[in-house]
Amino acid sequence: MRQSPANRILILLKTDGPQLAAAVGDALGISSEAARQQLTKMAEEGLVEPVTETATGRGRPRRLWHLTAGGNRQFPDGHADLTATLLATMVSQLGQSAVDTVISARETETLRRYRSEIDLTADLASRVASLAAIRTQEGYMADHWQDDDGSLMLVENHCPICAAACACAGFCRSELETFRMVLGAQVEREEHILLGARRCAYRIRPAA
């Protein structure tokens, strides 16, 4: 994606969530008014929309800018329509077991590849960092950090196989199991795009 002001805003809202115009301006190094003008233009194009949220306490309501469905479609979708159609056809013609076989084969190959690219002798934080880098290369716009309680977070701001996952939740279950096996750790999904969240987020702790 080219780094025009509009694309930088799309990436900011995708990775950091809804933003005030002032925050968008700070991120782009422009004034709040210039950011608001750019956001208004993008709203006219159907890419973003403002949502007024009531502030806590006595503060004034905040106007946060969100990505629309059209804005989310600016990111790679892994040939969504074709994927969904192929999966639906596979289920109708060959049965759910055929899809399960495909998911299992994909899981085996993904696990093999991840294990070859990640230093399995490194500490857990390093393994998570390596996994985040691999997932980013695959289009998941991944990030990672360590929380105050010592647990690790892996966050994926985009899902390039969302259409496949929507058509068959087995892909999501398989990816979660793959993370557990390649990291050798406890991994729990705390946010899920398919359940309406903005991103998928995983909390990771050492294996019991």
Side-chain angles (χ1 to χ4, degrees), residues 22 26 29 31 34 53 56 81 99 114 121 124-125 138-139 146 163 169 186:
D26 289 342
S31 68
E53 299 185 358
T56 57
D81 292 338
V99 177
Y114 285 3
T121 65
L124 182 57
E138 294 176 344
Q146 185 168 10
Q186 299 180 54

Side-chain angles (χ1 to χ4, degrees), residues 179-193:
F179 291 170
R180 289 169 175 163
M181 289 189 290
V182 76
L183 293 174
Q186 299 180 54
V187 183
E188 299 300 330
R189 185 187 286 115
E190 295 192 340
E191 299 178 49
H192 197 185
I193 291 174

